[in-house]
């Protein structure tokens, strides 16, 4: 089985990528998954690449260089988590401005700091830094390619009508932190950590793959956007009950459904998976696992608020207006 | 065997990368090779990543977007060639300016054009485009991660005193083309093609690996710079006879030794490999293979001109002053 991995953002980015891969003759088959899958020597390699740019994905006045390296790597590793894969290693390209800011002020070299963050994130899930490239650039950039092994890869496309739809952790923290940073508010340590040092849900993804997860995706474009991607890939409809979404304190259900770069997992599980399964998940991973809706026949995404349909919010857009 | 892959440019870049990998606790072991090697299911995977940036590695007024995609991919595939590996696939991150230039003037979408070039370069060596990421960026960028299988990986570190030092193809074309582009001179088609659509030497690298190549590197930093890297990794001295360097017409030996981004292969072969071997190589690949020097005990690089030592020119610098 060979799949193609594409990071599919909202709207125009998705359309553009579709056009590009159509030009490559790859349209329609496995288009858009968290990882590409490659059979090697009887194993299945899962691979993904994830580009983080200054001014788009991070700002150097919001994050330390070490956090920039960690966050970019965690974002890429999150794709392995969504495949149920075990990380092996990462390769990383780093772009650095000519006179790297922060030097000569008693701070360490930004390149070293970024790579230290990359290395720490990789080590946290048992992966090695295998290689890299370093280039002078107008702005900072960190592009991380991750490799893992997937004993039982979980695609986006395996959800079936009747499956339960579950989410790990609590949503809305990343969006709340981002709003705080934009407003110049000092963040509480836990909230700041949530944004600056997200934990890739590797153990959770592997647990869910072993326990029969049918389709999985990481929440990088926001729950609503990624639920839509999962629904489209699986050819099912998805209903989400907004009030069931587990949230950070102070986050509304709609904000939680829209918050991007959450790096939690959205997973379709057989109807037989229930509260006992969620308790076993929590014992194994320390995380909550919450049923927020279900898969149904049909197409598209339906959000309900106490049983009433509401209009789906737009997903997180990787192409912000600058 | 696990190796670490680093693109090591001249001088400061090399030092900076060494500091970074030292910070990761990876110093001294296999530091700096064309590819990282990863054992997977009894096979050896070779992986590398190579970042190409507008204004550093290419200019949009010198190359078409399709050529930009081809060239970035060929540069990355060249690392697989230097490992003697067989390409499998590529993943590519593309950065695009907000209002991509070239639209609305009857030209196709730059992203599609870049990816078409990426796909063509990958296909030319039997590799697939496995995945990608697309992000809005201040300038164009193309970061290519390549994966291949190496039945008998050839590291930089295997050269021994007495080995002959050989080079594929002819050198100096890339430097000559670059000088012409900078001067606004219209290039002859073959010279332009050499710069815009370099051929990754995959078949050559695999042939040389099968025929006992002891150490190999691709010439991306210039012959002098990369010979120095090979010498350092192998713990040998290298002597190159300048007048033996196969050159493009109109290129001096020193210019040929300095010309970067050539994407030819420099290989150490046992002393027993001679003219008959070079003829067999030419029959198999269509390329010349020329003995330009030898490995000796000692350290460092010695260039001779009709038997007289000359000072080694600096290698190609990936950090040009802008």
């Amino acid at each position: 089985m060979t799949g193609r991995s594409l990071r599919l953002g909202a709207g125009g980015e998705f359309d553009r990528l579709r056009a590009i891969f159509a030009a490559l003759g790859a349209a329609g088959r496995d288009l858009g998954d968290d990882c590409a899958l490659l059979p090697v020597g009887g194993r299945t390699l899962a691979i993904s690449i994830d580009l983080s740019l200054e001014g788009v994905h991070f700002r150097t006045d919001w994050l330390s260089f070490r956090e920039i390296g960690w966050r970019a790597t965690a974002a890429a590793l999150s794709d392995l988590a969504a495949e149920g894969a075990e990380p092996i290693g990462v390769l990383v390209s780093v772009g650095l401005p000519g006179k790297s800011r922060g030097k000569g002020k008693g701070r360490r070299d930004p390149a070293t700091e970024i790579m230290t963050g990359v290395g720490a994130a990789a080590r946290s899930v048992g992966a090695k830094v295998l290689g890299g490239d370093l280039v002078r650039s107008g702005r900072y950039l960190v592009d991380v390619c991750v490799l893992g092994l997937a004993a039982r890869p979980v695609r986006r496309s395996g959800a079936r009508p009747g499956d339960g739809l579950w989410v790990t952790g609590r949503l809305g923290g990343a969006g709340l932190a981002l709003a705080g940073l934009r407003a110049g508010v000092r963040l509480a340590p836990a909230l700041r950590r949530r944004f600056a040092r997200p934990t890739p849900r590797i153990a959770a993804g592997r647990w869910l793959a072993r326990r029969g997860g049918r389709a999985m995706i990481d929440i990088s474009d926001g729950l609503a956007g990624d639920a839509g991607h999962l629904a489209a890939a699986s050819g099912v409809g998805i209903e989400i009950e907004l009030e069931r979404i587990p949230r950070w304190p102070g986050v509304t259900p709609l904000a939680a459904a829209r918050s991007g770069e959450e790096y939690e997992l959205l997973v379709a599980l057989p109807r037989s998976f229930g509260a006992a399964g969620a308790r076993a998940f929590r014992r194994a991973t320390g995380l909550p696992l919450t049923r927020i809706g279900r898969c149904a026949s049909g197409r598209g995404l339906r959000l309900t608020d106490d049983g009433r349909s509401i209009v789906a919010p737009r997903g997180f857009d990787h192409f912000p207006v600058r």
Side-chain angles (χ1 to χ4, degrees), chain A residues 17 37 69 71 77 81 140 217 239 275 296:
Chain A
L17 279 167
L37 297 178
R71 194 164 186 274
L77 288 166
Y140 287 97
I217 190 169
E239 295 176 10

Side-chain angles (χ1 to χ4, degrees), chain A residues 9-13 56 220-222 258 260-261 314-321:
Chain A
E13 185 183 4
V56 179
S220 50
D221 293 334
R258 193 171 178 224
E261 300 183 348
R314 287 183 58 226
F316 180 82
D317 195 339
H318 275 304
F319 274 19
V321 177

Side-chain angles (χ1 to χ4, degrees), chain A residues 200-221:
Chain A
R201 299 306 191 195
I202 296 293
R206 296 181 66 192
W207 192 97
L208 291 164
R210 282 195 303 271
R211 296 303 181 92
R214 304 233 224 208
M216 195 150 57
I217 190 169
D218 78 325
I219 302 178
S220 50
D221 293 334

Side-chain angles (χ1 to χ4, degrees), chain A residues 9-270:
Chain A
E13 185 183 4
F14 184 99
D15 295 340
R16 187 184 285 217
L17 279 167
R18 196 150 45 188
I20 292 167
F21 273 67
L24 290 175
R29 278 180 308 151
D30 278 321
L31 182 64
D33 217 280
D34 294 285
C35 290
L37 297 178
L38 199 63
V40 176
R43 311 291 295 271
T44 300
L45 204 67
I47 323 150
S48 187
I49 196 164
D50 195 358
L51 174 60
S52 293
L53 289 180
E54 182 185 359
V56 179
H57 302 92
F58 62 84
R59 283 174 46 172
T60 57
D61 55 339
W62 288 355
L63 297 176
S64 72
F65 288 112
R66 201 174 290 204
E67 287 168 343
I68 286 166
W70 174 289
R71 194 164 186 274
T73 307
L77 288 166
S78 180
D79 289 326
L80 291 183
E83 203 70 44
E86 173 191 1
I88 305 173
V90 310
L91 290 94
V92 56
S93 287
V94 177
L96 298 167
K99 299 292 175 193
S100 291
R101 287 158 275 172
K103 288 189 80 171
K105 292 188 292 183
R107 293 173 67 178
R108 291 175 62 194
D109 174 38
T112 307
E113 288 290 287
I114 289 170
M115 287 304 296
T116 301
V118 170
R123 265 197 311 277
S124 77
V125 294
K128 288 181 180 170
V129 179
L130 298 171
D133 195 6
L134 181 67
V135 172
R136 186 152 292 175
S137 169
R139 288 169 174 240
Y140 287 97
L141 75 87
V142 187
D143 194 23
V144 183
C145 180
V146 291
L147 293 97
L149 288 171
R152 185 188 169 276
V154 185
R155 315 297 287 161
R156 295 179 178 178
S157 53
R160 296 292 166 259
D163 287 351
L165 194 71
W166 300 72
V167 70
T168 65
R170 291 182 299 164
L171 303 185
L176 193 63
L178 192 60
L181 288 167
R182 283 194 171 128
V185 175
R186 190 178 173 84
L187 303 178
L191 187 60
R192 182 184 158 73
R193 202 161 47 239
R194 172 76 182 181
F195 182 81
R197 286 178 63 94
T199 305
R201 299 306 191 195
I202 296 293
R206 296 181 66 192
W207 192 97
L208 291 164
R210 282 195 303 271
R211 296 303 181 92
R214 304 233 224 208
M216 195 150 57
I217 190 169
D218 78 325
I219 302 178
S220 50
D221 293 334
L223 173 63
D226 286 313
H229 296 153
L230 194 147
S234 293
V236 299
I238 282 182
E239 295 176 10
I240 292 177
E241 299 169 66
L242 275 179
E243 69 276 13
R244 286 180 176 269
I245 299 174
R247 307 186 297 279
W248 275 69
V251 176
T252 68
L254 261 179
R258 193 171 178 224
S259 177
E261 300 183 348
E262 288 284 339
Y263 306 123
E264 295 292 349
L265 299 178
L266 179 70
V267 58
L269 286 159

